[in-house]
Amino acid sequence: MRTNELMLYKNMEYGDILQDMTFLMENYDNEYYNEDDLRSLLFECVNELLELSVSYGFEGNLWHTYLTFLLASDENAYSTSCEIVGEVEGSINQIVLHDFEVMKELFDYDFRPMEEVLCAGSFSVLQNFQNVNAGSKMFNKRIRDRICMLSQSLGEAESVREFKDCLTRFYQEFGVGKLGLHKAFRVEHPEGEGAQIVPITNIAHVHLDDLVGYEIAKKKLIDNTEAFVEGRKANNCLLYGDAGTGKSSSIKAILNMYYGQGLRMIEVYKHQFRDLNDVIAQIKNRNYKFIIYMDDLSFEEFEIEYKYLKAVIEGGLEKKPDNVLIYATSNRRHLIRETFKDKADRDEELHTNDTVQEKLSLVARFGVTIYFGSPDKKEFQHIVTTLAKANGIDMPEETLLLEANKWELNHGGLSGRTAQQFIDYLLGTRL
């Protein structure tokens, strides 16, 4: 095997299995190596293939799906270019054809002689594997399906050129690497290292139709996001209002709604605002639209992190990229907590207006503000009856609303969250 000749696909994540398998392909019948050691290495590779495949839900030929996973995940000069423009021109095509020739040899490799020499007949199970978690929610089914379908197409490719065309179409349609395969991310900052964007693999499948009411608010959010993903001018967005009214759920639903059009979301916490410039630098040249999501955003009077946010949104020397917007939720309209003490201080301060403007200027950087207010009694009851019907709860409406009224009195008052918690309670006690 010529994996040492790979040029673009050289340092692939999860490539350790490939290195060990390549060694076995070259040396399984080499008398200078101990047969038991070679057999042990083979089963270590089998174990790692199984662990990776079960975690992602891969099925079929696990050797093929593993190689496909490597190709779909590797961000290099060719794959990232294809993500943006599809088929590319220039000498890079000759280089990538060479790499794909090596990869196709790996796809076409016949394991039967190795199985026979190392007495490892069970390896053939990996060539037609059915995942034990096929009905589980442990993995992202969408990613699993894409990798398995691409794996089958690459395995059936009759030439290196067909292999290349198939993979190029995949890069253009779905993207490459973690940003192509996943829809949501968080920021981690390992000690001694820079900010890293890490996929979130378990995303709530919320849809805007699940949020009862708030039609005007939802339309404003949809209109702004739709303009953004279609490449038109759009604004940073602040969703504010009472607790439990669906602000966070609406943003999650927007991600699910527009993911297929290239929308991605990165969740950033207040203590990570210093990393915002590093995060934006990693995504500004990618062929996706990114929403940087800040949940429950508010600042105490002694906190100054909002100044980092202000500079990133608007005011720094470097222009915020066109493929990045900031969406935030907050229970506070003005984000920064103010007290009666602030008023007393202003009375003593010479430049009172400057102080006020300093604190209000952050909100002004959100071009769209959307209010989510608590429902009144009638609206709350409508939410309860709608959710009950959607969840198949068969209960006389009078009894349902009576119990809902009792529940909200002891569980946070009138809100969509309270209504959902009540329905969850009924589902848990009646099933």
Side-chain angles (χ1 to χ4, degrees), residues 1-3 6 12 14-26 41-42 45-46 48-50 52-53 58-71 102-112 114-115 123-129 147-148 150-152 154-155 163:
M1 288 294 108
R2 298 180 291 147
T3 51
L6 290 170
M12 296 181 284
Y14 298 103
D16 292 344
I17 303 174
L18 178 60
Q19 292 179 7
D20 289 338
M21 289 299 295
T22 300
F23 176 81
L24 287 168
M25 291 172 183
E26 295 172 344
L41 178 60
L42 175 60
C45 291
V46 170
E48 292 175 5
L49 278 172
L50 285 170
L52 179 67
S53 299
F58 295 153
E59 294 185 318
N61 189 320
L62 296 191
W63 175 242
H64 285 184
T65 56
Y66 165 67
L67 295 175
T68 302
F69 180 65
L70 295 183
L71 292 168
V102 175
M103 296 303 296
K104 191 173 187 320
E105 289 177 5
L106 292 168
F107 266 84
D108 296 341
Y109 184 81
D110 185 359
F111 283 97
R112 285 175 296 183
M114 183 190 298
E115 291 180 89
F123 186 84
S124 60
V125 175
L126 301 186
Q127 295 175 300
N128 188 22
F129 185 77
I147 295 296
C148 289
L150 177 61
S151 171
Q152 185 174 351
L154 293 176
F163 189 99

Side-chain angles (χ1 to χ4, degrees), residues 224 227-228 231-235 319 322:
N224 192 68
F228 179 50
R232 294 181 279 120
K233 291 293 184 181
N235 282 291
K319 177 179 177 290
D322 291 335

Side-chain angles (χ1 to χ4, degrees), residues 19-193:
Q19 292 179 7
D20 289 338
M21 289 299 295
T22 300
F23 176 81
L24 287 168
M25 291 172 183
E26 295 172 344
N27 298 287
Y28 72 87
D29 57 354
N30 189 329
E31 61 183 14
Y32 292 104
Y33 291 99
N34 182 281
E35 183 177 317
D36 289 338
D37 290 340
L38 293 172
R39 191 168 184 269
S40 176
L41 178 60
L42 175 60
F43 282 106
E44 285 180 18
C45 291
V46 170
N47 171 260
E48 292 175 5
L49 278 172
L50 285 170
E51 291 292 336
L52 179 67
S53 299
V54 169
S55 67
Y56 280 90
F58 295 153
E59 294 185 318
N61 189 320
L62 296 191
W63 175 242
H64 285 184
T65 56
Y66 165 67
L67 295 175
T68 302
F69 180 65
L70 295 183
L71 292 168
S73 302
D74 192 59
E75 298 178 3
N76 56 57
Y78 181 76
S79 60
T80 54
S81 297
C82 292
E83 174 187 271
I84 299 174
V85 299
E87 189 75 37
V88 297
E89 303 292 335
S91 300
I92 197 171
N93 283 286
Q94 296 303 118
I95 297 173
V96 81
L97 277 171
H98 169 82
D99 279 13
F100 288 163
E101 182 179 347
V102 175
M103 296 303 296
K104 191 173 187 320
E105 289 177 5
L106 292 168
F107 266 84
D108 296 341
Y109 184 81
D110 185 359
F111 283 97
R112 285 175 296 183
M114 183 190 298
E115 291 180 89
E116 184 176 341
V117 170
L118 298 181
C119 301
S122 59
F123 186 84
S124 60
V125 175
L126 301 186
Q127 295 175 300
N128 188 22
F129 185 77
Q130 294 184 357
N131 201 306
V132 294
N133 291 318
S136 170
K137 294 184 179 179
M138 289 177 57
F139 52 81
N140 189 316
K141 184 176 181 296
R142 174 181 46 79
I143 294 175
R144 186 275 306 273
D145 291 346
R146 286 181 179 175
I147 295 296
C148 289
M149 290 178 64
L150 177 61
S151 171
Q152 185 174 351
S153 298
L154 293 176
E156 295 172 353
E158 296 183 359
S159 66
V160 176
R161 176 69 63 178
E162 185 180 342
F163 189 99
K164 175 179 177 291
D165 292 343
C166 182
L167 199 50
T168 300
R169 286 194 301 270
F170 180 88
Y171 289 149
Q172 183 178 20
E173 185 174 356
F174 299 114
V176 60
K178 61 188 176 184
L179 298 180
L181 293 177
H182 297 87
K183 66 171 70 170
F185 308 84
R186 65 170 60 91
V187 176
E188 294 184 358
H189 204 311
E191 188 174 351
E193 299 182 32

Side-chain angles (χ1 to χ4, degrees), residues 15 20 37 87 95 189 229 290 293 316 359 366 406:
D20 289 338
D37 290 340
E87 189 75 37
I95 297 173
H189 204 311
V229 298
F290 291 92
Y293 169 46
K359 291 194 171 186
F366 290 91
K406 293 178 183 177

